[in-house]
Amino acid sequence: MAALGTFLAALTACGGAGFDGGGAGAAGRPGHDRAGTAEPIRPGTVDDLRPGATDPTRIPGVGDRLKRRIPADSGQVVAVYGNGRDSADATLVLYTRHGNRWERTGRWRAHNGKKGWTTHHRSGDNRSPVGVFTLTDAGGVLADPGARLPYTRDLSFAAPRWWAASHWHDFDYVIAIDYNRVEGTPPNDPTRPEGEDKGGSIWLHMDHGSGTSGCVSLSKAAMEYLLRTLDPDRHPVVVMGDRAELEA
């Protein structure tokens, strides 16, 4: 029964029991899709995003409303810039704080919910929740690649084989986004403190080339980089949303 519960939890990843996103034919080989190509980073550069584009003490493109929700002790911010409210395309940027300055240390193309973004996420709406969330736990099908966050390897993370083949490796690596979940538990823990209607199992996970049911997806190489870099001692958080909501 315990194994069955864990298996069913994996099926509800990204907020729904159906497979995570459409357009599976665009994905290419699992774990090696075009959506996650890293861009070269020059130390000390900042993105041309407003507000904060020229202020190194701010996360570019993040307005005061969400800036106030970033914990004072957070030294790592994963910023997910959605292309638009109804777009499934996004850019993910990792920022690291040095003193009072933020430095961009990684940038990748990504996908979010297939229907875009929402400030009131509900189970099955196929939109990613806008907000600031902690990142405390990781796991997946594959062996721990050297993660700093607590990592749970469990074969029950695997996508069922009745999903399109392009989705089979979506959950080889996952990082739980602490939206409606219990921090300090494996990402596939099914507990929903705010109720089932608010959805859950919102993760960073591997990309299949199209939108998700609410998660944020990126390449295998990007996931490995984040797993090896996000440090619980630096209290990492994700700031995510479409650009208009982020700037508000």
PDB file of all heavy atoms in Angstrom, residues 34-55:
ATOM      1  N   ARG A  34      16.274  20.894 -27.208  1.00  0.00           N
ATOM      2  CA  ARG A  34      16.831  22.191 -27.520  1.00  0.00           C
ATOM      3  C   ARG A  34      16.436  23.258 -26.515  1.00  0.00           C
ATOM      4  O   ARG A  34      16.976  24.362 -26.525  1.00  0.00           O
ATOM      5  CB  ARG A  34      16.379  22.627 -28.917  1.00  0.00           C
ATOM      6  CG  ARG A  34      14.859  22.775 -29.042  1.00  0.00           C
ATOM      7  CD  ARG A  34      14.498  23.163 -30.469  1.00  0.00           C
ATOM      8  NE  ARG A  34      13.051  23.314 -30.628  1.00  0.00           N
ATOM      9  CZ  ARG A  34      12.210  22.340 -30.858  1.00  0.00           C
ATOM     10  NH1 ARG A  34      12.661  21.103 -30.930  1.00  0.00           N
ATOM     11  NH2 ARG A  34      10.914  22.557 -31.005  1.00  0.00           N
ATOM     12  N   ALA A  35      15.489  22.977 -25.607  1.00  0.00           N
ATOM     13  CA  ALA A  35      14.980  24.014 -24.723  1.00  0.00           C
ATOM     14  C   ALA A  35      15.938  24.374 -23.606  1.00  0.00           C
ATOM     15  O   ALA A  35      15.738  25.373 -22.936  1.00  0.00           O
ATOM     16  CB  ALA A  35      13.652  23.568 -24.119  1.00  0.00           C
ATOM     17  N   GLY A  36      16.957  23.570 -23.345  1.00  0.00           N
ATOM     18  CA  GLY A  36      17.768  23.825 -22.170  1.00  0.00           C
ATOM     19  C   GLY A  36      19.184  24.274 -22.441  1.00  0.00           C
ATOM     20  O   GLY A  36      20.019  24.238 -21.560  1.00  0.00           O
ATOM     21  N   THR A  37      19.491  24.708 -23.660  1.00  0.00           N
ATOM     22  CA  THR A  37      20.848  25.094 -23.990  1.00  0.00           C
ATOM     23  C   THR A  37      21.293  26.267 -23.122  1.00  0.00           C
ATOM     24  O   THR A  37      20.648  27.303 -23.086  1.00  0.00           O
ATOM     25  CB  THR A  37      20.946  25.486 -25.472  1.00  0.00           C
ATOM     26  OG1 THR A  37      20.483  24.397 -26.261  1.00  0.00           O
ATOM     27  CG2 THR A  37      22.379  25.806 -25.848  1.00  0.00           C
ATOM     28  N   ALA A  38      22.409  26.102 -22.436  1.00  0.00           N
ATOM     29  CA  ALA A  38      22.899  27.170 -21.573  1.00  0.00           C
ATOM     30  C   ALA A  38      23.548  28.259 -22.405  1.00  0.00           C
ATOM     31  O   ALA A  38      24.211  27.989 -23.411  1.00  0.00           O
ATOM     32  CB  ALA A  38      23.902  26.609 -20.570  1.00  0.00           C
ATOM     33  N   GLU A  39      23.368  29.506 -21.979  1.00  0.00           N
ATOM     34  CA  GLU A  39      24.006  30.629 -22.627  1.00  0.00           C
ATOM     35  C   GLU A  39      25.279  30.973 -21.884  1.00  0.00           C
ATOM     36  O   GLU A  39      25.358  30.834 -20.666  1.00  0.00           O
ATOM     37  CB  GLU A  39      23.066  31.838 -22.635  1.00  0.00           C
ATOM     38  CG  GLU A  39      21.775  31.596 -23.394  1.00  0.00           C
ATOM     39  CD  GLU A  39      20.873  32.804 -23.382  1.00  0.00           C
ATOM     40  OE1 GLU A  39      21.305  33.860 -22.884  1.00  0.00           O
ATOM     41  OE2 GLU A  39      19.744  32.693 -23.874  1.00  0.00           O
ATOM     42  N   PRO A  40      26.331  31.440 -22.590  1.00  0.00           N
ATOM     43  CA  PRO A  40      27.567  31.812 -21.895  1.00  0.00           C
ATOM     44  C   PRO A  40      27.324  32.989 -20.957  1.00  0.00           C
ATOM     45  O   PRO A  40      26.558  33.899 -21.260  1.00  0.00           O
ATOM     46  CB  PRO A  40      28.518  32.197 -23.033  1.00  0.00           C
ATOM     47  CG  PRO A  40      27.622  32.541 -24.187  1.00  0.00           C
ATOM     48  CD  PRO A  40      26.419  31.662 -24.038  1.00  0.00           C
ATOM     49  N   ILE A  41      27.964  32.942 -19.809  1.00  0.00           N
ATOM     50  CA  ILE A  41      27.796  33.969 -18.791  1.00  0.00           C
ATOM     51  C   ILE A  41      29.124  34.698 -18.602  1.00  0.00           C
ATOM     52  O   ILE A  41      30.164  34.077 -18.395  1.00  0.00           O
ATOM     53  CB  ILE A  41      27.361  33.353 -17.450  1.00  0.00           C
ATOM     54  CG1 ILE A  41      26.055  32.572 -17.631  1.00  0.00           C
ATOM     55  CG2 ILE A  41      27.200  34.426 -16.388  1.00  0.00           C
ATOM     56  CD1 ILE A  41      24.892  33.381 -18.110  1.00  0.00           C
ATOM     57  N   ARG A  42      29.083  36.020 -18.666  1.00  0.00           N
ATOM     58  CA  ARG A  42      30.254  36.828 -18.354  1.00  0.00           C
ATOM     59  C   ARG A  42      30.123  37.300 -16.912  1.00  0.00           C
ATOM     60  O   ARG A  42      29.100  37.894 -16.546  1.00  0.00           O
ATOM     61  CB  ARG A  42      30.354  38.032 -19.292  1.00  0.00           C
ATOM     62  CG  ARG A  42      30.518  37.654 -20.749  1.00  0.00           C
ATOM     63  CD  ARG A  42      30.814  38.892 -21.595  1.00  0.00           C
ATOM     64  NE  ARG A  42      29.771  39.906 -21.452  1.00  0.00           N
ATOM     65  CZ  ARG A  42      28.630  39.893 -22.130  1.00  0.00           C
ATOM     66  NH1 ARG A  42      28.378  38.924 -22.997  1.00  0.00           N
ATOM     67  NH2 ARG A  42      27.729  40.859 -21.962  1.00  0.00           N
ATOM     68  N   PRO A  43      31.124  37.047 -16.076  1.00  0.00           N
ATOM     69  CA  PRO A  43      31.017  37.438 -14.662  1.00  0.00           C
ATOM     70  C   PRO A  43      30.671  38.910 -14.518  1.00  0.00           C
ATOM     71  O   PRO A  43      31.239  39.775 -15.190  1.00  0.00           O
ATOM     72  CB  PRO A  43      32.420  37.131 -14.110  1.00  0.00           C
ATOM     73  CG  PRO A  43      32.942  36.054 -15.012  1.00  0.00           C
ATOM     74  CD  PRO A  43      32.388  36.366 -16.374  1.00  0.00           C
ATOM     75  N   GLY A  44      29.726  39.180 -13.619  1.00  0.00           N
ATOM     76  CA  GLY A  44      29.369  40.551 -13.312  1.00  0.00           C
ATOM     77  C   GLY A  44      28.331  41.160 -14.219  1.00  0.00           C
ATOM     78  O   GLY A  44      27.922  42.300 -14.008  1.00  0.00           O
ATOM     79  N   THR A  45      27.867  40.442 -15.240  1.00  0.00           N
ATOM     80  CA  THR A  45      26.879  41.025 -16.137  1.00  0.00           C
ATOM     81  C   THR A  45      25.496  40.894 -15.523  1.00  0.00           C
ATOM     82  O   THR A  45      25.240  40.080 -14.653  1.00  0.00           O
ATOM     83  CB  THR A  45      26.886  40.334 -17.507  1.00  0.00           C
ATOM     84  OG1 THR A  45      26.536  38.953 -17.332  1.00  0.00           O
ATOM     85  CG2 THR A  45      28.235  40.432 -18.171  1.00  0.00           C
ATOM     86  N   VAL A  46      24.587  41.752 -15.989  1.00  0.00           N
ATOM     87  CA  VAL A  46      23.195  41.680 -15.558  1.00  0.00           C
ATOM     88  C   VAL A  46      22.312  41.653 -16.786  1.00  0.00           C
ATOM     89  O   VAL A  46      22.713  42.047 -17.875  1.00  0.00           O
ATOM     90  CB  VAL A  46      22.803  42.873 -14.652  1.00  0.00           C
ATOM     91  CG1 VAL A  46      23.562  42.845 -13.344  1.00  0.00           C
ATOM     92  CG2 VAL A  46      23.036  44.201 -15.367  1.00  0.00           C
ATOM     93  N   ASP A  47      21.080  41.160 -16.626  1.00  0.00           N
ATOM     94  CA  ASP A  47      20.137  41.103 -17.721  1.00  0.00           C
ATOM     95  C   ASP A  47      19.526  42.468 -17.987  1.00  0.00           C
ATOM     96  O   ASP A  47      19.372  43.288 -17.087  1.00  0.00           O
ATOM     97  CB  ASP A  47      18.997  40.126 -17.400  1.00  0.00           C
ATOM     98  CG  ASP A  47      19.492  38.710 -17.322  1.00  0.00           C
ATOM     99  OD1 ASP A  47      20.362  38.329 -18.109  1.00  0.00           O
ATOM    100  OD2 ASP A  47      18.999  37.986 -16.441  1.00  0.00           O
ATOM    101  N   ASP A  48      19.141  42.704 -19.222  1.00  0.00           N
ATOM    102  CA  ASP A  48      18.445  43.928 -19.575  1.00  0.00           C
ATOM    103  C   ASP A  48      16.961  43.746 -19.290  1.00  0.00           C
ATOM    104  O   ASP A  48      16.137  43.639 -20.192  1.00  0.00           O
ATOM    105  CB  ASP A  48      18.677  44.271 -21.048  1.00  0.00           C
ATOM    106  CG  ASP A  48      18.069  45.609 -21.421  1.00  0.00           C
ATOM    107  OD1 ASP A  48      17.779  46.405 -20.510  1.00  0.00           O
ATOM    108  OD2 ASP A  48      17.875  45.854 -22.632  1.00  0.00           O
ATOM    109  N   LEU A  49      16.621  43.661 -18.010  1.00  0.00           N
ATOM    110  CA  LEU A  49      15.252  43.461 -17.568  1.00  0.00           C
ATOM    111  C   LEU A  49      14.917  44.551 -16.554  1.00  0.00           C
ATOM    112  O   LEU A  49      15.728  44.886 -15.707  1.00  0.00           O
ATOM    113  CB  LEU A  49      15.091  42.083 -16.909  1.00  0.00           C
ATOM    114  CG  LEU A  49      15.340  40.868 -17.809  1.00  0.00           C
ATOM    115  CD1 LEU A  49      15.520  39.637 -16.938  1.00  0.00           C
ATOM    116  CD2 LEU A  49      14.192  40.674 -18.766  1.00  0.00           C
ATOM    117  N   ARG A  50      13.734  45.109 -16.651  1.00  0.00           N
ATOM    118  CA  ARG A  50      13.320  46.161 -15.735  1.00  0.00           C
ATOM    119  C   ARG A  50      12.308  45.612 -14.726  1.00  0.00           C
ATOM    120  O   ARG A  50      11.488  44.784 -15.094  1.00  0.00           O
ATOM    121  CB  ARG A  50      12.669  47.318 -16.516  1.00  0.00           C
ATOM    122  CG  ARG A  50      13.620  48.034 -17.471  1.00  0.00           C
ATOM    123  CD  ARG A  50      14.723  48.757 -16.703  1.00  0.00           C
ATOM    124  NE  ARG A  50      15.475  49.627 -17.592  1.00  0.00           N
ATOM    125  CZ  ARG A  50      16.578  49.261 -18.232  1.00  0.00           C
ATOM    126  NH1 ARG A  50      17.028  48.021 -18.089  1.00  0.00           N
ATOM    127  NH2 ARG A  50      17.219  50.094 -18.997  1.00  0.00           N
ATOM    128  N   PRO A  51      12.293  46.115 -13.447  1.00  0.00           N
ATOM    129  CA  PRO A  51      13.278  47.029 -12.873  1.00  0.00           C
ATOM    130  C   PRO A  51      14.529  46.300 -12.428  1.00  0.00           C
ATOM    131  O   PRO A  51      14.546  45.086 -12.364  1.00  0.00           O
ATOM    132  CB  PRO A  51      12.525  47.615 -11.677  1.00  0.00           C
ATOM    133  CG  PRO A  51      11.629  46.497 -11.260  1.00  0.00           C
ATOM    134  CD  PRO A  51      11.206  45.809 -12.544  1.00  0.00           C
ATOM    135  N   GLY A  52      15.570  47.056 -12.107  1.00  0.00           N
ATOM    136  CA  GLY A  52      16.788  46.464 -11.568  1.00  0.00           C
ATOM    137  C   GLY A  52      17.832  46.097 -12.592  1.00  0.00           C
ATOM    138  O   GLY A  52      18.847  45.508 -12.248  1.00  0.00           O
ATOM    139  N   ALA A  53      17.620  46.446 -13.876  1.00  0.00           N
ATOM    140  CA  ALA A  53      18.559  46.018 -14.911  1.00  0.00           C
ATOM    141  C   ALA A  53      19.952  46.559 -14.680  1.00  0.00           C
ATOM    142  O   ALA A  53      20.933  45.912 -15.028  1.00  0.00           O
ATOM    143  CB  ALA A  53      18.043  46.434 -16.281  1.00  0.00           C
ATOM    144  N   THR A  54      20.051  47.757 -14.110  1.00  0.00           N
ATOM    145  CA  THR A  54      21.360  48.360 -13.908  1.00  0.00           C
ATOM    146  C   THR A  54      21.699  48.516 -12.433  1.00  0.00           C
ATOM    147  O   THR A  54      22.643  49.198 -12.086  1.00  0.00           O
ATOM    148  CB  THR A  54      21.410  49.737 -14.593  1.00  0.00           C
ATOM    149  OG1 THR A  54      20.379  50.576 -14.044  1.00  0.00           O
ATOM    150  CG2 THR A  54      21.215  49.602 -16.100  1.00  0.00           C
ATOM    151  N   ASP A  55      20.921  47.883 -11.561  1.00  0.00           N
ATOM    152  CA  ASP A  55      21.146  47.951 -10.125  1.00  0.00           C
ATOM    153  C   ASP A  55      21.557  46.578  -9.627  1.00  0.00           C
ATOM    154  O   ASP A  55      20.722  45.681  -9.467  1.00  0.00           O
ATOM    155  CB  ASP A  55      19.875  48.416  -9.416  1.00  0.00           C
ATOM    156  CG  ASP A  55      20.064  48.574  -7.909  1.00  0.00           C
ATOM    157  OD1 ASP A  55      21.151  48.215  -7.400  1.00  0.00           O
ATOM    158  OD2 ASP A  55      19.120  49.039  -7.240  1.00  0.00           O
TER     159      ASP A  55
END
